[in-house]
């Protein structure tokens, strides 16, 4: 078994062996918007990296791909083609059993439609979509989007209904299900309590460094930095940070002073 997900954050919570979609299969990050491109055989370096991660490709039978909501139908097609090359097998997905896991209420792919939306858009008449003011997005006649949709139609759907993280707290599980569907109930609001110094003292580190829900990456980055400082201070540990390398054409336009200022002001770069 090998595990994968679209983002590095999700991969860190997966069992080994695991790697991101792009790293494991050697596919581009924007492959979900490439409807006309077809990937050829992987380079020797990409094949070697795949074999290093999965350890024994000949024994591989199951691929678990988390964060399915991030995937579009082109992702599926490109993955199918790449696995056929990597495993030297012309069966779908190189003969592997592919288990897609995720929640389509979560983030959708950047550019293009999520897997389930693509099936709806394909089956609804263009005039109806236009009347409903639903854009058709980037589509082709027989490209990666259509081929990926054909693959997705062959999957079996199994719905998991038990919230395991809150299995012992039915009220909280109900609140999570309501929030998932965009419902903020009075009972949920009544269950919230202010975060006070007394509460932190009573519950200790469970509240002191508990996850904080935010609405954007800007807030997330700021809170991560502040919490890391507080964590190091509280536990009397050194806080080590380093600069992330700036790459790409735009990065080459920065002079030394501009780069130093960017690293100082943008917390997400360290």
């Amino acid at each position: 078994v090998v595990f994968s997900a679209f983002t590095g954050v999700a991969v860190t919570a997966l069992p080994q062996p695991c790697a991101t979609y792009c790293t494991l299969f050697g596919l581009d990050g924007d492959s979900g918007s490439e409807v006309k491109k077809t990937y050829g055989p992987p380079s020797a370096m990409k094949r070697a990296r795949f074999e290093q991660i999965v350890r024994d490709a000949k024994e591989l039978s199951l691929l678990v791909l988390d964060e399915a909501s991030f995937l579009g139908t082109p992702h599926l097609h490109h993955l199918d083609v790449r696995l056929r090359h990597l495993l030297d097998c012309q069966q779908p997905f190189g003969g592997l059993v592919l288990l897609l896991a995720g929640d389509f209420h979560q983030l959708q792919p950047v550019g293009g439609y999520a897997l389930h939306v693509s099936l709806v858009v394909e089956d609804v008449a263009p005039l109806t979509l236009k009347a409903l003011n639903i854009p058709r997005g980037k589509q082709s006649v027989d490209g990666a989007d259509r081929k990926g949709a054909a693959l997705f139609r062959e999957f079996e759907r199994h719905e998991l209904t038990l919230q395991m993280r809150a299995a012992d707290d039915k009220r909280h599980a109900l609140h999570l299900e309501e929030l998932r569907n965009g419902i903020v109930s009075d009972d949920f609001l009544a269950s919230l309590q202010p975060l006070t110094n007394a509460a932190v003292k009573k519950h200790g580190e469970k509240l002191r460094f508990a996850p904080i829900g935010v609405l954007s990456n800007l807030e997330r980055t700021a809170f991560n930095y502040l919490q890391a400082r507080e964590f190091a201070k509280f536990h009397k540990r050194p806080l080590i940070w380093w600069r992330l390398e700036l790459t790409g054409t735009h990065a080459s336009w920065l002079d030394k002073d501009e780069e130093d200022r960017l690293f100082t002001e943008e917390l997400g770069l360290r």
Side-chain angles (χ1 to χ4, degrees):
V1 182
V2 64
F3 297 84
S4 184
F6 198 78
T7 67
V9 173
V11 166
T12 58
L14 297 176
Q16 295 288 341
C18 62
T20 64
Y21 171 91
C22 300
T23 298
L24 182 59
F25 309 114
L27 297 171
D28 298 332
D30 61 351
S31 60
S33 61
E34 295 173 339
V35 299
K36 296 182 179 180
K37 179 177 180 178
T38 297
Y39 285 85
S43 65
M45 181 183 70
K46 291 180 179 179
R47 180 180 289 274
R49 183 169 55 193
F50 173 80
E51 294 176 349
Q52 180 184 20
I53 294 172
V54 303
R55 298 169 189 169
D56 190 351
K58 293 181 180 179
E59 296 296 321
L60 188 61
S61 60
L62 173 64
L63 166 62
V64 180
L65 189 52
D66 198 7
E67 294 186 321
S69 67
F70 277 85
L71 304 177
T73 50
H75 287 112
L76 276 190
H77 169 66
H78 297 316
L79 175 61
D80 173 49
V81 173
R82 180 49 53 89
L83 284 173
R84 292 178 189 232
H85 283 128
L86 287 170
L87 299 174
D88 298 319
C89 175
Q90 290 308 305
Q91 294 294 320
F93 303 108
L96 296 182
V97 174
L98 176 57
L99 174 61
L100 296 177
D103 184 350
F104 287 122
H105 279 244
Q106 296 182 1
L107 293 177
Q108 295 192 14
V110 178
Y113 292 117
L115 294 172
H116 65 300
V117 177
S118 295
L119 297 186
V120 175
V121 171
E122 279 203 351
D123 287 342
V124 176
L127 290 178
T128 302
L129 292 175
K130 185 176 181 180
L132 295 173
N133 198 28
I134 300 176
R136 297 192 64 188
K138 186 183 292 186
Q139 291 183 316
S140 68
V141 176
D142 59 352
D145 54 327
R146 296 300 177 91
K147 293 176 181 177
L151 286 167
F152 189 53
R153 292 180 190 278
E154 300 300 317
F155 279 71
E156 294 183 7
R157 176 175 173 267
H158 298 273
E159 184 177 2
L160 306 179
T161 58
L162 182 61
Q163 171 58 258
M164 295 304 298
R165 292 181 179 178
D168 298 328
D169 189 339
K170 294 184 178 179
R171 185 187 183 196
H172 185 53
L174 175 61
H175 292 161
L176 292 176
E177 181 64 21
E178 290 174 341
L179 290 172
R180 176 179 178 270
N181 290 291
I183 300 172
V184 181
S185 65
D186 291 338
D187 186 60
F188 168 71
L189 294 176
S191 71
L192 300 178
Q193 300 178 24
L195 182 59
T196 62
N197 290 331
V200 172
K201 290 180 180 179
K202 179 179 178 181
H203 297 284
E205 294 183 36
K206 289 183 179 180
L207 286 181
R208 186 183 299 277
F209 299 113
I212 301 173
V214 297
L215 298 177
S216 71
N217 281 330
L218 181 63
E219 296 164 302
R220 180 181 66 86
T221 299
F223 274 120
N224 283 346
Y225 177 68
L226 293 173
Q227 285 290 73
R229 289 183 58 182
E230 289 301 313
F231 186 88
K233 181 180 179 180
F234 181 79
H235 292 283
K236 299 180 180 179
R237 295 288 188 271
L239 176 61
I240 302 173
W241 62 274
W242 56 92
R243 294 183 172 189
L244 296 177
E245 181 182 1
L246 299 177
T247 60
T249 303
H250 297 299
S252 66
W253 297 344
L254 301 175
D255 59 31
K256 186 65 169 58
D257 291 338
E258 291 172 330
E259 186 174 308
D260 288 340
R261 188 170 69 252
L262 187 62
F263 277 114
T264 301
E265 296 175 355
E266 294 291 338
L267 301 178
L269 294 176
R270 53 182 173 171

